[in-house]
Amino acid sequence: RGYWWALLEGMLVGLAIAFPVAFATLVFATTNALIATFAILSIAAIVASVLGTAQLNGWSLGVAESIAAVIVVGFSVDYTIHLGHMYDHAGRHEGWPDRANRARYSLLKMGSTVLAGAVTTCGSGSFMFVCQLTFFSKMAFLICVTIGFSLLYSLFLFVPALYLFGPEDACGRIDFLLAPCTKGGAAKASMHGPGEPKFAPESAEAP
């Protein structure tokens, strides 16, 4: 019992460190607190799904599982951070102020890249299934399942959430929020406001 609780405590401490670090990374990469919030919620769903799948697969909590639970957070960040960055890029540099066109832009620009990344990562990780050591076969399972859930949640949860509830114009931007507190910040923030759209998604009317 003491050994199991030590593993559980170590896993929870690792997750308590990994999630704030992941959120800070998302905020820094997207420069938007709202996008980062949607992303970290998607990542939490991915981690819960992976751990639940491991439990359904009959795994008990051991050293490999407690370490892998923290590693899963890092794997889960990849796709959401790319899609979130492109969502912010659509408004900041391409001039799309509304969430619908920004979500479409994110999918059109990054969707194929995310899909290709998932295929190559699962393909490389699947080679460990033939390893005789249990640790490597478990890591292969975790990598493939994590990538699968990451792809599923990033494309069918994260992007739809941005499409329906994502920030518009300069809402949620870190530089916009800090502008009143810094000298000349308001002028700097206004430079990042929406301009004329440079890119027209196929499903949207050209402006």
Side-chain angles (χ1 to χ4, degrees):
R1 180 178 175 84
Y3 175 74
W4 187 88
W5 279 105
L7 289 175
L8 178 62
E9 182 181 1
M11 184 186 72
L12 293 178
V13 170
L15 291 174
I17 295 173
F19 270 103
V21 171
F23 182 75
T25 304
L26 289 163
V27 170
F28 179 79
T30 62
T31 65
N32 192 296
L34 293 179
I35 297 176
T37 300
F38 284 118
I40 203 67
L41 291 175
S42 299
I43 291 169
I46 294 167
V47 173
S49 298
V50 172
L51 295 180
T53 302
Q55 176 66 28
L56 291 175
N57 201 40
W59 293 9
S60 58
L61 184 62
V63 175
E65 290 79 10
S66 61
I67 295 173
V70 181
I71 297 176
V72 165
V73 178
F75 277 124
S76 305
V77 170
D78 192 23
Y79 303 144
T80 55
I81 200 171
H82 283 87
L83 292 167
H85 171 72
M86 292 309 296
Y87 181 92
D88 182 71
H89 178 88
R92 189 182 296 270
H93 299 291
E94 299 297 332
W96 290 106
D98 61 299
R99 59 177 67 98
N101 279 318
R102 291 169 73 172
R104 291 192 189 101
Y105 179 91
S106 177
L107 277 179
L108 288 172
K109 286 294 185 179
M110 196 57 63
S112 59
T113 303
V114 166
L115 181 60
V119 172
T120 55
T121 304
C122 281
S124 59
S126 63
F127 285 100
M128 290 192 291
F129 278 115
V130 299
C131 293
Q132 295 181 349
L133 292 177
T134 304
F135 176 83
F136 291 111
S137 61
K138 283 186 175 182
M139 286 303 298
F141 175 84
L142 285 171
I143 289 173
C144 292
V145 170
T146 301
I147 295 303
F149 278 119
S150 296
L151 185 67
L152 179 68
Y153 282 112
S154 62
L155 293 180
F156 299 104
L157 176 65
F158 178 60
V159 173
L162 292 177
Y163 184 91
L164 295 173
F165 310 109
E168 295 185 313
D169 296 317
C171 180
R173 288 182 186 168
I174 300 302
D175 51 357
F176 177 77
L177 293 174
L178 296 178
C181 304
T182 57
K183 184 177 180 181
K188 183 179 179 180
S190 64
M191 294 173 62
H192 298 293
E196 290 297 324
K198 304 174 185 176
F199 176 86
E202 295 178 1
S203 58
E205 297 181 359

